[in-house]
Amino acid sequence: MSNAIAAIRDAIVNNAPAEEFASLEIPTTARGAMVRAEDQEMFGDLADDDRDPRQAVKVDEFPLPELAPDEAYVAVMASSINFNTVWTSIFRPVSTFSFLNRLGKESYWGKRHDLPYHVIGSDASGVVLRVGNAVRNWKPGDRVTVQCNHVDDQDPTAHDDSMFASNQRIWGFETNFGGLAEVSVVKANQLMPKPEHLSWEESAVNGLCNSTSYRMIVSKNGSGMQQGDSVLVWGATGGIGAYAVQYVQNGGGTPVGVVSSEKRAELLRALGCDAVIDRRAEGYNFWKNEHEQDPKEWLRLGKKIRSLIGRDVDVVFEHPGRSTMGASVFVAKRGGLIITCAATSGYMLEFDNRYLWMNLKTLKGCHFANYREAWEANRLIGEGKVHPTMSKVFTLDQTGEAAYNVHKNMSEGKLGVLCLSPEEGLGVRNEALREQHIDKITLFRRYDAMS
Ligand code: NAP
């Protein structure tokens, strides 16, 4: 760690007054987790499942780029692993260097991103070190979390819903200088206030997954779930699923959560979800073979849902993709909605369209969240109405190991990564609010410790 970085870390840990941060030296380099262009072909013809993020992710020093007028340097105390970290580190379905290359062609500032290394990570909590001269709402010393919607707001297509912007990107996935580093570069319109009852790592894990689930469940841009609606949530103790369950509960709905082990079923019940389906124990086999699905298995899932809640679900929160989409389209109620943001198990999907059109169902795509949605989702975390789902914490040097954990579906909820924070548990300022919700804040961590 350089002297400049050590001084920044000490100032944060020792709660230096905000004014001091403006005079701290900006380091010329920082350490970060990255993949390298020269490694893009390292996995040859290996299947996605057999590609190991531990081989591709390196932690190394990189030069900090010049700051654009609408950007900020953020000293990153903690970050987290998202599934996009897995996609980047296995170079699938495409190498993310193709994104950086395209961004590099857009503008003078875009060119900075097109490098032979990609500093990854789409979440961060930390402290603002410097802001560009066009930044109005943030200043050095502000304690922040970062949301990953990277949009040029001078583009007319970014107004209305910025997720429709023609140059919308996910920071740290489709841009360089992501959050898994000691210092990160973000646009000012990615910054949000840090929830002060949470530690740095508890604050860092929410941005990407919590905002995605907010849009999918709560926002009118997603399902716009109503009181009394029931929602089938695949992967209900996973990264996005565990926030989705909380939003369904908060909105007066009934979550039906699907998981794949007794431990996860217990955790889901502890989260307050009573309708639980253990897909392993039930032995669902939606695909008879590589090419053919089994509608009898869809029917069996539908019956299971009716046995738990007495009716079909209004909404299906879909993301596993190829393995489950046939079943998801089948089990949604007549007139129901299947909302999807991903396809972890494969993106060439197949479903029986007769169930969609004859029963007037809707299949809707959804992707991350606009700044307003991310802000509202962060506010709910800050008010203690939605809670982080962090189950494990890794160091920056262990980023590859952490990504491997997510790739292999080995952990629940979210995995935190300490970047500048020397230990867990630092950064809490609102002890009273923390105390009020401590059981929920630490739920996933306690379950992980028990296993
Ligand atoms: P995660 O933490 O790995 O959780 C995914 C969950 O899905 C797992 O806990 C697992 O639960 C379940 N699952 C995995 N494979 C499955 C299968 N074949 N059938 C049924 N369930 C399966 O990942 P995540 O962070 O929730 O992300 C999930 C997906 O959403 C990823 O593909 C990610 O890239 C994508 N995503 C997209 C956006 C967006 O903005 N578009 C945002 C966030 C995430 P059980 O094994 O317990 O059932």
Side-chain angles (χ1 to χ4, degrees):
M1 181 179 288
S2 69
N3 289 344
I5 295 274
I8 290 167
R9 186 201 54 191
D10 293 348
I12 299 172
V13 172
N14 296 325
N15 283 313
E19 314 79 71
E20 265 186 33
F21 285 87
S23 55
L24 285 173
E25 179 192 339
I26 297 297
T28 52
T29 62
R31 292 180 79 240
M34 60 181 72
V35 292
R36 294 184 187 285
E38 70 205 35
D39 290 337
Q40 285 173 95
E41 305 301 330
M42 73 191 299
F43 295 121
D45 293 334
L46 279 181
D48 292 10
D49 266 1
D50 299 326
R51 295 175 174 223
D52 188 338
R54 293 173 297 190
Q55 285 173 258
V57 176
K58 313 272 161 47
V59 177
D60 212 342
E61 204 88 18
F62 63 96
L64 280 178
E66 182 191 357
L67 203 60
D70 61 347
E71 289 178 343
Y73 289 128
V74 173
V76 182
M77 291 300 273
S79 180
S80 94
I81 304 296
N82 284 293
F83 217 95
N84 69 12
T85 318
V86 176
W87 298 126
T88 308
S89 62
I90 63 173
F91 305 105
R92 294 285 288 154
V94 291
S95 162
T96 48
F97 286 97
S98 59
F99 302 143
L100 303 186
N101 186 260
R102 204 173 311 146
L103 174 54
K105 294 197 172 100
E106 259 181 26
S107 66
Y108 169 80
W109 298 110
K111 184 94 192 98
R112 294 169 304 164
H113 294 257
D114 188 12
L115 295 164
Y117 55 85
H118 184 184
V119 182
I120 56 180
S122 300
D123 276 322
S125 68
V127 176
V128 173
L129 293 175
R130 285 288 190 285
V131 294
N133 58 18
V135 176
R136 293 170 294 281
N137 297 340
W138 304 93
K139 57 181 187 327
D142 284 344
R143 290 153 62 94
V144 294
T145 57
V146 177
Q147 61 88 16
C148 63
N149 186 18
H150 183 280
V151 166
D152 180 350
D153 53 19
Q154 289 179 19
D155 185 328
T157 61
H159 294 268
D160 185 10
D161 177 2
S162 62
M163 287 307 297
F164 292 169
S166 52
N167 59 19
Q168 189 279 328
R169 293 185 163 87
I170 299 295
W171 163 74
F173 179 60
E174 294 164 287
T175 80
N176 220 321
F177 317 119
L180 285 158
E182 293 171 333
V183 179
S184 183
V185 179
V186 305
K187 283 187 181 283
N189 62 11
Q190 292 179 249
L191 294 171
M192 310 188 293
K194 175 187 176 295
E196 291 294 21
H197 66 303
L198 300 178
S199 66
W200 293 110
E201 59 282 4
E202 290 162 351
S203 309
V205 297
N206 309 303
L208 189 149
C209 283
N210 179 45
S211 310
T212 302
S213 298
Y214 178 92
R215 182 173 171 114
M216 285 181 82
I217 298 291
V218 182
S219 171
K220 64 176 169 34
N221 294 318
S223 75
M225 192 207 90
Q226 303 290 304
Q227 287 189 41
D229 279 357
S230 53
V231 182
L232 181 74
V233 180
W234 291 104
T237 60
I240 50 176
Y243 293 106
V245 167
Q246 296 184 62
Y247 282 117
V248 176
Q249 291 167 325
N250 286 359
T254 305
V256 180
V258 185
V259 289
S260 64
S261 70
E262 183 46 38
K263 176 193 166 195
R264 290 182 180 181
E266 261 180 58
L267 174 57
L268 193 51
R269 286 188 200 99
L271 196 58
C273 176
D274 298 325
V276 176
I277 300 175
D278 179 342
R279 65 183 172 99
R280 284 258 156 82
E282 298 286 339
Y284 294 119
N285 205 5
F286 300 133
W287 285 86
K288 283 191 230 175
N289 54 52
E290 214 184 307
H291 307 288
E292 212 184 345
Q293 297 196 58
D294 186 352
K296 286 203 209 80
E297 289 293 276
W298 302 343
L299 192 63
R300 198 155 73 80
L301 174 66
K303 282 187 176 158
K304 178 76 188 173
I305 294 169
R306 286 184 185 179
S307 76
L308 290 169
I309 60 165
R311 59 201 165 91
D312 295 331
V313 286
D314 299 276
V315 178
V316 179
F317 182 89
E318 166 63 45
H319 53 92
R322 186 166 172 80
S323 320
T324 53
M325 185 57 94
S328 294
V329 168
F330 181 83
V331 300
K333 77 166 192 193
R334 194 175 169 84
L337 173 75
I338 302 98
I339 187 150
T340 175
C341 73
T344 316
S345 63
Y347 50 81
M348 295 304 280
L349 306 179
E350 197 179 278
F351 56 87
D352 187 334
N353 199 25
R354 290 171 300 175
Y355 292 110
L356 192 80
W357 99 71
M358 294 295 286
N359 294 319
L360 303 104
K361 304 182 189 187
T362 304
L363 176 57
K364 183 171 182 176
C366 200
H367 187 40
F368 188 57
N370 60 38
Y371 191 18
R372 176 65 186 266
E373 290 161 340
W375 187 280
E376 295 303 330
N378 185 61
R379 180 175 61 78
L380 290 167
I381 296 269
E383 291 175 0
K385 291 185 175 136
V386 174
H387 304 287
T389 60
M390 189 185 73
S391 65
K392 283 190 174 74
V393 179
F394 294 79
T395 62
L396 185 58
D397 286 313
Q398 294 169 326
T399 298
E401 185 66 38
Y404 177 77
N405 253 259
V406 174
H407 186 27
K408 292 290 168 190
N409 193 10
M410 289 158 68
S411 306
E412 289 75 43
K414 294 289 306 170
L415 306 186
V417 176
L418 301 180
C419 297
L420 283 177
S421 189
E423 59 186 279
E424 279 184 57
L426 303 180
V428 177
R429 283 194 175 164
N430 186 343
E431 292 287 356
L433 186 61
R434 183 177 182 80
E435 208 38 55
Q436 207 180 320
H437 299 291
I438 191 69
D439 286 350
K440 289 188 171 153
I441 295 168
T442 55
L443 178 67
F444 278 63
R445 199 90 175 95
R446 282 184 281 120
Y447 260 74
D448 189 67
M450 284 185 323
S451 60

